[in-house]
Amino acid sequence: CSTHERHVAHKMAYLFESRQLLLSAALAASVALLLDRWLRRRGRGTGKDALARELARLEARAEAVREALAGLDEPPQREVRIWMDGAFDMMHYGHANAFRKGRALGTHLIVGVNDDESILRCKGAPPLMNDEERLAMVQACKFVDEVVPKVPYIMSPEYLRWAIETYRIDYVVHGDDPCIVDGRDVYESARALGKYRTIPRTEGVSTTEIVGRMLLLTRDHHRAAAPSPVGPAAGGRAREARTA
């Protein structure tokens, strides 16, 4: 936001706090006045216990009034709905971090999950996890409020307009790394509408990189173990000889 907007926000916050302080002071003065009247009406001979009970009652009433006023004075928070989409194959902490950053830009995060056919058509290979598995992983993330299945990998202007109207989207968010398919920006339609925002990409992790690690670490363990040159009996005799 601009400097002027920040200045206005700070000024409004200051006025709001000042009003709260004035209300608290007025309530305290009212309690003191009521207590003074009570003492004048009852006289000085009243016991301390009765006085303490009456004071507690008045303080509780003042607190209830203060809470009610605070609830009325709080300005309603405008809902800001964020849209993110992707394959989210083998969901990892980079995806979760992106959801966290995306939701921080608004109040409600909607995540569209690309379908298998769309991914195969645009990337030339199917995802490792199928539609249902990837949907379940995205739904399990605490930063995600709503999930939309079978979203095309490249959203056409018509599909994007439909999504914006259907889900009341304020901003379309993606990482700051380029997303190009067949020489075209996947999010050019969102940019043209002025609704595109970026978040910093989480470095050092990707589905491709994780698959590479798995391939490097599993070159040998899946191979069948070579048969022992000696049978069970011979193995037993060998163990006996070692322990003799």
Side-chain angles (χ1 to χ4, degrees), residues 91-100 199-203 205-206:
M91 186 169 159
H92 47 70
Y93 75 86
H95 294 139
N97 198 32
F99 294 154
R100 178 185 66 83
I199 53 175
R201 183 184 183 278
T202 302
E203 298 295 337
V205 61
S206 69

Side-chain angles (χ1 to χ4, degrees), residues 161-200:
R161 281 195 293 270
W162 171 84
I164 290 174
E165 293 174 1
T166 302
Y167 297 100
R168 307 191 311 279
I169 297 167
D170 292 291
Y171 299 109
V172 176
V173 175
H174 189 264
D176 54 8
D177 52 316
C179 191
I180 307 297
V181 175
D182 295 332
R184 292 181 57 189
D185 182 357
V186 172
Y187 293 98
E188 63 181 4
S189 298
R191 291 180 189 273
L193 293 173
K195 287 183 172 291
Y196 186 68
R197 300 290 185 273
T198 61
I199 53 175

Side-chain angles (χ1 to χ4, degrees), residues 135-152:
L135 279 169
M137 288 188 289
V138 173
Q139 286 172 333
C141 182
K142 69 177 183 178
F143 304 114
V144 177
D145 298 297
E146 192 173 349
V147 176
V148 180
K150 297 188 178 300
V151 173

Side-chain angles (χ1 to χ4, degrees), residues 116-138:
D116 293 346
E117 292 77 11
S118 178
I119 296 171
L120 175 61
R121 184 168 57 254
C122 294
K123 302 186 75 170
L128 293 171
M129 316 296 287
N130 62 34
D131 284 344
E132 291 74 19
E133 292 167 334
R134 290 181 291 110
L135 279 169
M137 288 188 289
V138 173

Side-chain angles (χ1 to χ4, degrees), residues 17-31 62 66 69:
E17 292 177 1
S18 300
R19 185 179 179 186
Q20 291 296 96
L21 289 174
L22 289 173
L23 286 172
S24 298
L27 286 170
S30 299
V31 170
R66 187 181 295 110
L69 288 172

